[in-house]
């Protein structure tokens, strides 16, 4: 269910694991992705369960139609007509509106400026990292009044740099765009460290507080991993502002 939750000064962050839902294999059990072949009724039930577990400060949850790009949408509540825009970043300045990002190996990036009451969420896989969806999301947050120096950043469970094997040419291509991402797998082949790249992009933009999950989805039986399972569910990361300044 909600496996990791963190609140500071009226900003709230949460990440799910794969347990506590109603989906059957291979989406067992808390699949939150609506475009992976799972029963839509199960997904809706899982989303309702997870939303209830976020607590009283959380309002409506806004999802994205993620396409591995760098476009960002500003939202004030649920999508008109219910159709999510094809974006990989969401920002809002409305307290209680919960921004959600779906992943199964990609890096979910949650951002919030608790002082401005501005939240952002981004989906950073390899293409999104290279296209700087993280920077685009921070820019959109700044346009709503956020200051990067006040932004609290949390990245969630994702495939780690010791597991994300790629061809050497691809590693070099991404390293040229995002220095610090070149890595090596535990079995000695070229790899990319996406969470490290997200961290460096955030620090370069002036974000000071960046904390990463220590969970590797590919190595954890409690998390969905596209690389391990191919047909599988999706985890969610949630971020919102409002409520008590605890
Ligand atoms: Zn790993």
């Amino acid at each position: 269910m909600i496996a990791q939750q963190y609140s500071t000064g009226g900003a709230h962050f949460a990440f799910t694991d794969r347990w506590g839902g109603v989906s059957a294999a291979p989406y067992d059990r808390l699949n939150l992705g609506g475009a992976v072949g799972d029963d839509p009724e199960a997904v809706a039930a899982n989303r309702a369960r997870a939303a209830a577990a976020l607590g009283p400060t959380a309002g409506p949850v806004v999802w994205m139609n993620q396409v591995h790009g760098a476009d960002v949408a500003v939202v004030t509540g649920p999508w008109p007509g219910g159709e999510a825009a094809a974006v990989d970043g969401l920002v809002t300045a409305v307290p209680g509106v919960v921004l959600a990002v779906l992943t199964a190996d990609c890096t979910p990036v949650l951002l919030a400026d608790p002082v401005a009451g501005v939240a952002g969420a981004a989906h950073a896989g390899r293409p999104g990292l290279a296209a700087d969806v993280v920077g685009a999301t921070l820019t959109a947050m700044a346009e709503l009044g956020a200051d990067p120096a006040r932004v609290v950043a949390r990245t969630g469970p994702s495939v780690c740099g010791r597991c994300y094997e790629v061809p050497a040419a691809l590693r070099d291509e991404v390293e040229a765009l995002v220095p610090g991402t070149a890595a090596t797998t535990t079995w000695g082949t070229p790899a990319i460290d996406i969470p490290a790249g997200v961290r460096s992009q955030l620090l370069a933009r002036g974000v000071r507080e960046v904390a990463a999950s220590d969970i590797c989805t590919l190595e954890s039986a409690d998390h969905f991993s596209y690389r391990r399972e191919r047909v599988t569910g999706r985890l969610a990361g949630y971020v919102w502002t409002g409520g008590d300044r605890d």
Side-chain angles (χ1 to χ4, degrees), residues 158-164 186-187 214-220:
S158 54
V159 64
C160 81
R162 299 177 306 279
C163 289
Y164 186 20
T186 50
W187 53 98
D214 60 0
I215 294 167
C216 169
T217 46
L218 193 141
E219 296 175 76
S220 168

Side-chain angles (χ1 to χ4, degrees), residues 121-141:
H123 164 242
R126 179 185 51 76
L129 180 82
D132 198 14
V133 67
V134 172
T137 303
L138 275 171
T139 296
M141 290 176 67

Side-chain angles (χ1 to χ4, degrees), residues 27 46 49 54 96 121 135 183 218-219 225 235:
Y27 309 104
N46 291 340
R49 283 189 186 199
L54 295 177
L218 193 141
E219 296 175 76
S225 170
L235 307 161

Side-chain angles (χ1 to χ4, degrees), residues 39 53 103 210 217 221:
D39 173 7
T103 59
V210 184
T217 46

Side-chain angles (χ1 to χ4, degrees), residues 34-133:
V36 292
D38 193 4
D39 173 7
E41 287 187 20
V43 176
N46 291 340
R47 288 183 171 189
R49 283 189 186 199
L54 295 177
T57 58
V61 178
V62 183
W63 302 89
M64 297 179 260
N65 173 17
Q66 299 168 188
V67 293
H68 288 284
D71 288 342
V72 180
V74 180
V75 296
T76 56
W79 297 104
E83 183 91 3
V87 296
D88 291 88
L90 286 177
V91 298
T92 190
V94 180
V97 169
V98 180
L99 309 179
V101 53
L102 292 165
T103 59
D105 289 341
C106 290
T107 301
V109 185
L110 306 183
L111 308 164
D113 176 344
V115 176
V118 174
H123 164 242
R126 179 185 51 76
L129 180 82
D132 198 14
V133 67

